[in-house]
Amino acid sequence: MKKLLQVSLLASAVLVGLSGCKDDKVAETAPAATTDSGVELTSFEQKSAYAIGLSMGRYIGSTLEKQQELGVDLDDEVILQGVKDGFADQGQMSDEEVQGALTAYDERINTLIEQQAEEKAAANQAKGQEFLAENAKRDGVQVTDSGLQYEVLTAAEGNKPKAEDVVTVHYTGTLIDGTQFDSSVERGEPASFPLNQVIPGWTEGVQLMPVGAKYKFFIPAELGYGETGAGTIPGNSVLIFEVELLEIAQAEEVASED
C-alpha cells in the first residue's frame, strides 16, 4: 500500500506540475469539474484527493490488466473493499495474513511469467529453425560451420578485423517478423566496441568483413541471446543484422587514445 501511495502521489505531483503551467486566471474562472459519480471537484482538497485516487486506480488497473493476460483475474469490488478497509483500518486479515497472501500472489505471477516465457521461447525456437532452414536455400546466403548465415550486400576488399580488435560499425537489428529492436543508423551515430565482447554471432560474422563492406547476418539463437533473450528480444530468437564495417582499430590504439 505504501508503494502504491507513493506512486500515486508522484503521479499527482506530475499532474499538479502540468496544471501549474496553465494561466491562473483561466483556472479561477473555469467551471468546477464533476466526476461521473456526481462529486464536484471545486476545492484544493477535493481535487487533490481525487487526483490521488484516480492515479492510484489507473496504476492498479494497468497492473492488473497485464496480469489478467496471464490468467489471474481479480475481483475489482473486492480490491475496492480492501482499499476502503485499509483507509478505515478495519481489515479482515491480519498483517501476517496480508503479507502471506501478497507473497503467494507474487510467487504465482512469477511462475506464470516464467511459464509464458518458456512457451514463447519454445515457439520462437521452432519458428527460428524453420526460418533458417528456408533462408539457407536462398541464392547468395552462405552458412558457416557454427550455423551462422550471412549475405554480402556490398562487397569490399581490404583488412578484416580480429576478435581482439575494436570495430566501428553501422547496423540495424530486427527479428524474423520484421520487428526492429536496435539501430545505430536511426540514432545517427555508429557504434564502436571490442569485437570479442559482443554476442558470438557478431564476433564470428564481422571478422568475415573487410572495411567498407556491408553484410546481412542471420544469427541463430545459440549464437545470439539464447533461451533467455535480452530486453525486448524474446528467448530463442533468430536475430537479423545489417552491418556496415566502417573502421578497425587495435585495442591498444584505442587505449592509448583514452
Side-chain angles (χ1 to χ4, degrees), residues 132 147-149 199-202 217-225 237-241:
L132 291 171
L148 174 69
Q149 299 182 6
I199 57 175
W202 266 74
F217 296 111
F218 306 88
I219 303 177
E222 58 270 23
L223 300 178
Y225 295 106
S237 292
V238 170
L239 308 178
I240 302 175
F241 283 97

Side-chain angles (χ1 to χ4, degrees), residues 9 20 36 38 71 77 84-86 99 102 118 142 145 159 165 183 193 196 202 210 250 254:
L9 289 173
D36 291 339
E77 293 301 320
K84 292 178 181 178
D85 289 351
Q99 186 59 49
L102 292 177
E118 290 173 358
Q142 302 182 58
D145 292 341
N159 294 332
D165 290 338
S183 175
F193 46 78
N196 60 4
W202 266 74
Q250 293 184 349
V254 175

Side-chain angles (χ1 to χ4, degrees), residues 79-97:
I79 294 174
L80 291 175
Q81 187 60 53
V83 172
K84 292 178 181 178
D85 289 351
F87 278 124
D89 196 19
Q90 55 181 19
Q92 301 179 39
M93 301 171 69
S94 66
D95 290 346
E96 291 76 13
E97 289 173 328

Side-chain angles (χ1 to χ4, degrees), residues 133-198:
E134 291 300 316
N135 191 62
K137 300 175 185 178
R138 290 196 303 110
D139 290 340
V141 174
Q142 302 182 58
V143 185
T144 69
D145 292 341
S146 70
L148 174 69
Q149 299 182 6
Y150 69 95
E151 182 179 4
V152 179
L153 302 180
T154 302
E157 295 182 0
N159 294 332
K160 298 179 181 180
K162 301 181 180 63
E164 298 77 18
D165 290 338
V166 175
V167 297
T168 299
V169 299
H170 256 318
Y171 68 91
T172 297
T174 60
L175 304 177
I176 60 175
D177 65 359
T179 300
Q180 180 176 298
F181 56 82
D182 196 8
S183 175
S184 69
V185 177
E186 285 199 355
R187 290 194 296 272
E189 183 177 357
S192 297
F193 46 78
L195 195 50
N196 60 4
Q197 294 184 16
V198 290

Side-chain angles (χ1 to χ4, degrees), residues 7-255:
V7 173
S8 300
L9 289 173
L10 177 60
S12 299
V14 172
L15 292 176
V16 171
L18 291 175
S19 64
C21 297
K22 297 179 180 179
D23 186 87
D24 291 337
K25 185 175 181 180
V26 174
E28 290 173 2
T29 58
T34 304
T35 67
D36 291 339
S37 60
V39 177
E40 289 191 355
L41 307 177
T42 55
S43 68
F44 166 80
E45 288 80 5
Q46 288 172 327
K47 292 179 180 179
S48 298
Y50 187 75
I52 291 172
L54 183 62
S55 58
M56 180 185 294
R58 285 175 174 170
Y59 174 80
I60 296 175
S62 63
T63 301
L64 296 181
E65 183 178 357
K66 294 176 183 177
Q67 295 174 357
Q68 283 177 349
E69 297 174 0
L70 298 172
V72 177
D73 190 7
L74 303 182
D75 190 322
D76 292 350
E77 293 301 320
V78 177
I79 294 174
L80 291 175
Q81 187 60 53
V83 172
K84 292 178 181 178
D85 289 351
F87 278 124
D89 196 19
Q90 55 181 19
Q92 301 179 39
M93 301 171 69
S94 66
D95 290 346
E96 291 76 13
E97 289 173 328
V98 169
Q99 186 59 49
L102 292 177
T103 299
Y105 177 71
D106 286 343
E107 291 175 351
R108 177 61 174 162
I109 293 298
N110 289 335
T111 297
L112 291 173
I113 290 175
E114 291 175 1
Q115 290 177 352
Q116 187 182 70
E118 290 173 358
E119 292 172 359
K120 288 183 177 180
N124 281 337
Q125 185 175 35
K127 291 178 181 177
Q129 290 174 345
E130 181 180 358
F131 171 84
L132 291 171
E134 291 300 316
N135 191 62
K137 300 175 185 178
R138 290 196 303 110
D139 290 340
V141 174
Q142 302 182 58
V143 185
T144 69
D145 292 341
S146 70
L148 174 69
Q149 299 182 6
Y150 69 95
E151 182 179 4
V152 179
L153 302 180
T154 302
E157 295 182 0
N159 294 332
K160 298 179 181 180
K162 301 181 180 63
E164 298 77 18
D165 290 338
V166 175
V167 297
T168 299
V169 299
H170 256 318
Y171 68 91
T172 297
T174 60
L175 304 177
I176 60 175
D177 65 359
T179 300
Q180 180 176 298
F181 56 82
D182 196 8
S183 175
S184 69
V185 177
E186 285 199 355
R187 290 194 296 272
E189 183 177 357
S192 297
F193 46 78
L195 195 50
N196 60 4
Q197 294 184 16
V198 290
I199 57 175
W202 266 74
T203 303
E204 177 186 357
V206 177
Q207 290 186 77
L208 303 173
M209 302 178 65
V211 173
K214 185 174 183 180
Y215 282 22
K216 190 170 188 177
F217 296 111
F218 306 88
I219 303 177
E222 58 270 23
L223 300 178
Y225 295 106
E227 296 181 356
T228 58
T232 59
I233 300 173
N236 282 336
S237 292
V238 170
L239 308 178
I240 302 175
F241 283 97
E242 288 192 6
V243 182
E244 181 181 7
L245 180 57
L246 304 176
E247 185 180 352
I248 303 170
Q250 293 184 349
E252 292 80 3
E253 296 175 3
V254 175

